[in-house]
Amino acid sequence: MSRISVNIIVPALSAILGFSGALAGALIPSWTSEKIFERQVRVERERVLFTKKIELLERVSKLANLTSKYEGYQHYLNLQADLASDLKICKASGVADCVEPDGTKNALAVSEKRSDLNADFSSTMQLINVYFGKKVSAEVNNLSTRKVWWDNDGNNFRDLIIAMRDEIHGKT
C-alpha cells in the first residue's frame, strides 16, 4: 500500500470508529435508562396494586365483622314496624297504655346506618372485581347473590377472604 492510501484509510477508519463509539456511547445509556425507567414504573404499579389489594382485604374483614351490627339494625327496624302495626290495633281496641314505636327520626337514623353498610358492601365488592382475578370474583359473585349478605352464619366471608389471601400470596 502506498503511503498516501494509508494516510487516508487510517484517519477515515479512526473517524468511523470514533463516530461508532460515540453513537454507541450515546445509545446504550439511553436504552439502559429507558429499561430502568420501565422497570421502575412496573414495580411502582405492582406496589400500588398490592397495597390496594391489602386495603380491600382489610375492608372485607371489617365488613365480615359488621354483619351482627347490620342484623341489629334490621331487627330494630322490623321491631319498630311491628310496634307501629300493633299500635294501630291497640288504639282501635281502646286500650289506654299502648306501646308506641320510637319516632321516625330514630328509625331514619338507623335506616341510614344500614344503608351506609349496604353501600360499603357494594362498593367493596365492585372494587374487588376491579383489582382481583377470576377466582376472587367468583367468590364475590357467590356472596353478592345471597339473599342477605349480612346473615351471620360465620361462613359468608370466609371463602372470599381465603381467595383474596391466596391471590395476594400468589397461590392462584
Side-chain angles (χ1 to χ4, degrees):
M1 249 199 236
S2 74
R3 190 94 169 120
I4 295 177
S5 25
V6 169
N7 286 340
I8 293 174
I9 292 177
V10 170
L13 282 175
S14 295
I16 291 171
L17 287 174
F19 176 75
S20 299
L23 185 61
L27 291 178
I28 289 175
S30 171
W31 179 79
T32 304
S33 105
E34 183 180 330
K35 290 296 177 190
I36 290 171
F37 177 74
E38 287 173 1
R39 186 172 52 225
Q40 288 173 335
V41 168
R42 187 180 72 249
V43 167
E44 179 61 18
R45 185 175 50 238
E46 289 171 0
R47 186 191 66 75
V48 168
L49 183 61
F50 179 78
T51 301
K52 282 291 186 191
K53 286 181 175 184
I54 295 296
E55 289 171 3
L56 286 168
L57 181 59
E58 290 170 351
R59 280 177 68 171
V60 168
S61 179
K62 286 178 186 175
L63 276 172
N65 291 307
L66 289 174
T67 56
S68 57
K69 186 180 254 189
Y70 191 100
E71 284 180 1
Y73 294 153
Q74 188 63 42
H75 178 72
Y76 173 82
L77 292 172
N78 290 342
L79 177 64
Q80 293 306 306
D82 290 345
L83 284 174
S85 177
D86 291 348
L87 179 64
K88 288 179 185 177
I89 295 169
C90 183
K91 284 188 175 183
S93 66
V95 176
D97 32 323
C98 298
V99 178
E100 292 195 20
D102 292 343
T104 55
K105 185 177 179 181
N106 290 339
L108 183 60
V110 170
S111 182
E112 285 177 7
K113 290 178 184 179
R114 189 184 66 169
S115 294
D116 289 345
L117 285 176
N118 273 329
D120 195 26
F121 173 79
S122 295
S123 68
T124 300
M125 296 303 116
Q126 290 169 355
L127 288 170
I128 288 171
N129 280 329
V130 169
Y131 286 102
F132 283 87
K134 290 179 183 177
K135 184 176 179 187
V136 175
S137 289
E139 294 302 333
V140 166
N141 288 338
N142 289 340
L143 185 57
S144 297
T145 56
R146 292 179 64 121
K147 185 175 180 178
V148 288
W149 65 265
W150 63 88
D151 183 22
N152 195 7
D153 65 3
N155 296 322
N156 287 11
F157 290 89
R158 185 194 68 215
D159 293 337
L160 175 59
I161 290 172
I162 289 170
M164 292 172 76
R165 180 204 62 199
D166 288 350
E167 185 170 319
I168 288 170
H169 291 293
K171 295 181 182 179
T172 56

